[in-house]
Amino acid sequence: MVNPNQNKIKNMQEQKQKMKEKLKQRKKEIARRIEKEKNKKMEKINLEQEKKKTEKKKTEKKKFGIIYNFYYEGNEDFENSLTNLTFFINRTLDNTFWKKPKDVNKKLFFIFIINTPLNGFVIPKFNNVVVIENYDNDPINTETLFMERFRIEVENILTIDSSFSGPFIDPNPNTFWFNKLSSYVVEELDPIFSKTNSTTLNDISTLLKWENPADEDVLPVPGTNYALFCHYDENNFVQDYVFTELYCLKKLGYNILFNSTSTKLTNEDQLFDLVEKINYIENISVGTEFNILYNNLSYLENEQIQYDNILFVNDSVLFPTNGLANMRETIINMQVHDIWGHWDEYMPTSKLQFIYSCFYHFKYSVSRDIIQYLEEWLPRCTNRTEYINYIEWRMPNYLFNKKYNVGSVVVFNSLNINNPKFNKIITHSPSVIGRWIFRPETFAIKFKYILFFLNKNSQYLTPQFWYLTRFLYVGENKVNYYHKEKSGLYISRIY
């Protein structure tokens, strides 16, 4: 006889087993659904990723390479080659021209191969620009160049050299210049790129708004006047803008004593018709210009040469930025002062702001006192700080205290600067220069301080300014001439 309790226990065990089986099946079903949902999500993610990759591939800019070979033969070819290079940089690397076109579907990478020295010409260093100095004309494999330098593959390469002028394409808000090219062989791109001739050079001059101030028809400044010009160039070369300045000084009637820290100028012969005397001077850094001033004034005194005025200037000053006639008028108007400069600068404890030593203009009557001051203080100066403190800052005060009339074209107190900081180049700071550079009486800038803050395509700067800076780079880069490797510019050799 079966025990009823045993049947009951057996039934309960069977029901329990069935429940376990159902629970197990339910867990499997839940796991299956979760896996299904997971697979759906992954499939959706994969589809989205593939879609993004496809869209990216459609919108990604194709990469193209441009190789620019720079070389020249002789002085005339040098100027033409520089003209072509500066126009090419202006028209292709200037973002303000080609930033907005809707069809910018190509990304350009530039390699400039410099086969003959540029002597100070500057090229902007952007992420898509490389400069190679190849003065020994070593063979270069251009097919692998972009992979070696940029780690990229390019669709095609346009190779240009400095015997071609271009690109002659009007900036258009809807069309990128590179899309206008029907070929990547420069000889097939006329008239966008053309072999250099008088027409292309004239077109470049017009498009870049160049007017040579030395071509202006002006009378000399009255009197017998001497210009003591200080030139610093470790490449032993006189730059284009310096020649323009010398031509302008000669036209204004100045007899020029040209002083250079170069060992021997390679283009010295071009100076013979412009200057009265060439002196080669040892470069001792900041004190060099004061030694030049002392030696030149002593030379004129010892030779008993009579004169009315002295202009003392160095090649860090760019002039005449507002035209030669304007410069002449200002020089004549400033003759009410015994000694004057183009700018004075903030001095907190002085009645007189100090005058930049890069530009002095003074009468014969002041010369003897300058010589005496330099005789006393030059031997005491042994470093940069002492030359600045004891001579550049104190000499104008010394002359002021001797009752000479001291002045400047750009008077610091006329600039309305709140809370100026001592020992800062305030007049040439980007926020201040606009307060005076367009004044009609001004004619110069200290270009190493400010050139790279100016708007490259400003409608307000003069054609004379653009001519003076035609082989320098204006805009977009801040240059530190004491740390050139951090400047954001390629500066050929030593500048």
Side-chain angles (χ1 to χ4, degrees):
M1 183 175 179
V2 179
N3 189 340
N5 289 332
Q6 285 181 337
N7 287 335
K8 189 175 183 181
I9 291 169
K10 187 179 179 181
N11 289 335
M12 288 179 66
Q13 286 175 342
E14 287 176 356
Q15 286 178 0
K16 189 176 182 181
Q17 185 63 32
K18 286 179 181 178
M19 288 293 292
K20 281 183 180 180
E21 288 295 327
K22 283 184 180 180
L23 188 61
K24 190 176 180 180
Q25 288 298 322
R26 186 170 179 78
K27 283 182 179 179
K28 282 184 180 180
E29 179 64 22
I30 291 171
R32 188 184 66 78
R33 289 179 181 178
I34 290 172
E35 185 66 23
K36 189 177 180 181
E37 288 297 320
K38 186 178 178 182
N39 289 337
K40 279 185 178 180
K41 284 182 181 179
M42 286 302 298
E43 190 178 341
K44 187 177 180 181
I45 289 169
N46 290 335
L47 285 171
E48 287 177 354
Q49 287 177 343
E50 284 298 320
K51 188 178 178 182
K52 284 180 181 179
K53 281 182 183 178
T54 305
E55 289 175 354
K56 187 179 179 183
K57 204 168 184 180
K58 286 181 181 177
T59 58
E60 192 176 58
K61 294 179 182 179
K62 293 182 179 180
K63 300 178 178 67
F64 288 79
I66 297 179
I67 295 175
Y68 193 104
N69 284 291
F70 178 84
Y71 63 86
Y72 59 88
E73 296 176 6
N75 290 331
E76 183 178 353
D77 191 37
F78 175 58
E79 183 170 331
N80 291 345
S81 294
L82 281 179
T83 297
N84 288 335
L85 177 58
T86 196
F87 184 69
F88 177 81
I89 289 173
N90 178 281
R91 279 301 191 260
T92 62
L93 287 177
D94 186 357
N95 291 331
T96 60
F97 279 142
W98 310 110
K99 200 171 186 177
K100 296 179 181 178
K102 297 174 182 177
D103 67 339
V104 184
N105 55 359
K106 297 181 175 74
K107 184 168 178 58
L108 305 184
F109 292 82
F110 298 82
I111 294 179
F112 293 87
I113 301 175
I114 313 302
N115 299 295
T116 42
L118 280 173
N119 291 305
F121 191 99
V122 290
I123 296 172
K125 270 200 305 193
F126 301 137
N127 293 332
N128 62 332
V129 175
V130 163
V131 180
I132 300 172
E133 292 181 341
N134 188 34
Y135 299 141
D136 295 328
N137 291 308
D138 295 327
I140 295 176
N141 185 354
T142 56
E143 291 182 4
T144 61
L145 206 51
F146 288 90
M147 179 57 71
E148 291 169 3
R149 298 289 174 157
F150 293 107
R151 296 288 184 266
I152 62 165
E153 290 184 1
V154 293
E155 300 270 336
N156 220 318
I157 298 173
L158 171 65
T159 301
I160 310 166
D161 66 61
S162 52
S163 67
F164 284 87
S165 301
F168 291 105
I169 299 175
D170 290 332
N172 186 312
N174 298 313
T175 306
F176 183 47
W177 75 273
F178 199 75
N179 289 337
K180 286 282 191 178
L181 304 187
S182 58
S183 166
Y184 300 116
V185 179
V186 70
E187 288 84 1
E188 299 175 357
L189 292 175
D190 190 47
I192 294 175
F193 285 96
S194 304
K195 273 290 185 180
T196 305
N197 55 54
S198 58
T199 301
T200 65
L201 294 173
N202 286 333
D203 288 344
I204 289 172
S205 182
T206 300
L207 288 167
L208 298 187
K209 301 178 287 187
W210 291 350
E211 284 186 20
N212 187 350
D215 290 340
E216 292 182 45
D217 187 16
V218 298
L219 294 172
V221 173
T224 301
N225 305 308
Y226 273 80
L228 316 180
F229 196 98
C230 306
H231 170 256
Y232 304 90
D233 193 292
E234 293 189 34
N235 291 324
N236 301 320
F237 192 83
V238 180
Q239 300 290 335
D240 174 79
Y241 76 92
V242 172
F243 276 113
T244 302
E245 293 177 340
L246 296 176
Y247 276 111
C248 288
L249 290 176
K250 187 172 178 64
K251 206 156 194 178
L252 291 176
Y254 285 89
N255 303 300
I256 303 169
L257 304 184
F258 189 84
N259 304 272
S260 178
T261 60
S262 299
T263 53
K264 182 69 174 177
L265 293 167
T266 56
N267 52 351
E268 181 189 67
D269 58 320
Q270 294 175 250
L271 291 171
F272 294 155
D273 294 333
L274 291 171
V275 307
E276 187 173 293
K277 194 172 187 292
I278 300 173
N279 299 314
Y280 288 101
I281 307 292
E282 180 186 1
N283 190 347
I284 60 169
S285 191
V286 178
T288 304
E289 62 191 62
F290 301 116
N291 282 332
I292 290 173
L293 178 58
Y294 174 75
N295 291 337
N296 283 196
L297 290 179
S298 298
Y299 163 77
L300 294 172
E301 185 177 68
N302 294 337
E303 294 296 317
Q304 299 182 338
I305 295 173
Q306 299 298 310
Y307 56 87
D308 296 296
N309 296 286
I310 291 287
L311 167 60
F312 178 67
V313 65
N314 72 40
D315 62 0
S316 71
V317 179
L318 201 69
F319 67 86
T321 53
N322 289 328
L324 189 57
N326 166 282
M327 179 176 175
R328 178 184 182 275
E329 183 178 355
T330 298
I331 289 172
I332 292 172
N333 291 338
M334 291 299 291
Q335 300 292 20
V336 295
H337 302 287
D338 299 309
I339 177 171
W340 54 277
H342 197 277
W343 317 267
D344 57 35
E345 194 63 87
Y346 177 62
M347 291 285 282
T349 60
S350 174
K351 293 180 180 178
L352 180 75
Q353 316 303 332
F354 85 87
I355 298 173
Y356 281 85
S357 61
C358 58
F359 188 102
Y360 292 145
H361 202 289
F362 53 89
K363 295 177 179 177
Y364 173 81
S365 57
V366 185
S367 295
R368 178 94 288 269
D369 282 309
I370 290 178
I371 291 173
Q372 287 178 347
Y373 185 86
L374 294 175
E375 280 178 344
E376 179 181 353
W377 285 98
L378 276 177
R380 302 186 188 188
C381 298
T382 59
N383 57 56
R384 176 186 179 84
T385 301
E386 289 176 349
Y387 280 113
I388 292 173
N389 288 345
Y390 298 151
I391 299 181
E392 183 170 33
W393 289 358
R394 293 187 185 180
M395 191 168 73
N397 263 303
Y398 164 81
L399 297 171
F400 178 74
N401 291 332
K402 290 185 77 72
K403 307 306 180 186
Y404 288 114
N405 188 330
V406 181
S408 69
V409 177
V410 180
V411 179
F412 181 83
N413 289 336
S414 72
L415 300 177
N416 300 317
I417 299 170
N418 297 322
N419 303 315
K421 294 182 180 179
F422 175 56
N423 205 14
K424 298 290 183 182
I425 307 163
I426 300 173
T427 56
H428 282 68
S429 72
S431 61
V432 172
I433 192 168
R435 302 184 189 188
W436 61 264
I437 195 172
F438 303 119
R439 291 179 180 179
E441 69 272 17
T442 64
F443 58 81
I445 64 168
K446 183 88 168 170
F447 79 88
K448 290 182 181 180
Y449 293 155
I450 195 62
L451 206 58
F452 308 95
F453 292 107
L454 298 177
N455 183 341
K456 188 174 182 179
N457 297 293
S458 170
Q459 300 300 311
Y460 302 103
L461 293 165
T462 66
Q464 292 85 0
F465 171 87
W466 293 122
Y467 184 88
L468 287 163
T469 60
R470 61 190 179 140
F471 300 148
L472 302 170
Y473 187 77
V474 180
E476 297 184 50
N477 285 276
K478 178 180 178 181
V479 170
N480 185 331
Y481 278 85
Y482 296 105
H483 300 285
K484 301 178 183 67
E485 71 280 2
K486 299 177 183 177
S487 68
L489 293 177
Y490 158 78
I491 304 179
S492 62
R493 289 191 176 185
I494 300 169
Y495 191 60

